[in-house]
């Protein structure tokens, strides 16, 4: 009878543990994305600030109706025409959360065709 060599049947688990440990150390050392902030620094608190929409923004409601400063706007041309050249350079849209994306894209294209240089969408920033 031939005796089997026990060393050949064992799996190299120690080598696997060493590799995983080295990878862990590597990612701990190399994983620093940004230097830490100064400990004396106090960040600005914005939770209690009363925010309001930009006064020159075009508000688009869920059904596609548009208003500017509380007044109804029939089309993109009616909104763009009275604006000065500086105001035409950047137009801000405040869309309703439930406004279909197709409607928002259509209004953005109409504003660009009417003479808007840039069309920006004003959104709420989440944490």
């Amino acid at each position: 009878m031939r005796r089997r060599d026990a060393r050949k049947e064992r799996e190299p688990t120690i080598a696997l543990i060493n590799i995983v440990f080295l990878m862990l150390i590597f990612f701990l050392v190399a994983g620093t994305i940004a230097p830490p902030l100064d400990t004396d620094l106090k960040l600005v608190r914005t939770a209690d600030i009363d925010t309001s929409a930009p006064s020159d923004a075009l508000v688009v409601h869920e059904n596609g109706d548009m208003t500017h400063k509380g007044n109804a706007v029939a089309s993109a041309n009616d909104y763009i025409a009275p604006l000065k050249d500086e105001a035409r350079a950047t137009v801000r849209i405040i869309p309703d959360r439930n406004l279909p994306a197709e409607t928002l894209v259509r209004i953005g294209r109409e504003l660009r065709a009417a003479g808007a240089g840039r069309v920006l969408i004003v959104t709420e920033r989440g944490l």
Side-chain angles (χ1 to χ4, degrees):
M1 237 183 166
R2 232 168 124 172
R3 187 174 176 185
R4 292 187 200 179
D5 192 7
R7 284 183 276 162
K8 290 184 182 178
E9 291 182 12
R10 281 194 276 172
E11 293 183 22
T13 56
I14 297 296
L16 182 63
I17 291 171
N18 287 341
I19 290 171
V20 170
F21 180 71
L22 289 173
M23 286 176 59
L24 176 68
I25 297 298
F26 171 76
F27 285 116
L28 284 173
V29 171
T32 304
I33 295 173
L37 293 174
D38 188 8
T39 55
D40 297 334
L41 182 67
K42 303 270 188 200
L43 296 176
V44 176
R45 250 187 97 101
T46 60
D48 301 328
I49 294 177
D50 182 29
T51 59
S52 61
S55 63
D56 62 337
L58 178 67
V59 178
V60 184
H61 300 277
E62 180 179 359
N63 59 1
D65 292 341
M66 297 181 286
T67 58
H68 178 252
K69 296 183 180 179
N71 301 322
V73 176
S75 69
N77 284 329
D78 292 343
Y79 175 71
I80 292 289
L83 296 178
K84 297 178 183 175
D85 289 336
E86 301 88 34
R88 285 184 187 188
T90 301
V91 174
R92 289 176 178 79
I93 300 176
I94 302 176
D96 187 272
R97 182 180 305 235
N98 298 321
L99 179 71
E102 297 86 18
T103 306
L104 181 61
V105 170
R106 178 184 52 80
I107 292 171
R109 286 183 180 152
E110 289 174 2
L111 287 168
R112 289 296 302 258
R118 288 177 51 190
V119 177
L120 302 177
I121 299 173
V122 179
T123 62
E124 181 181 68
R125 176 179 244 176
L127 294 177

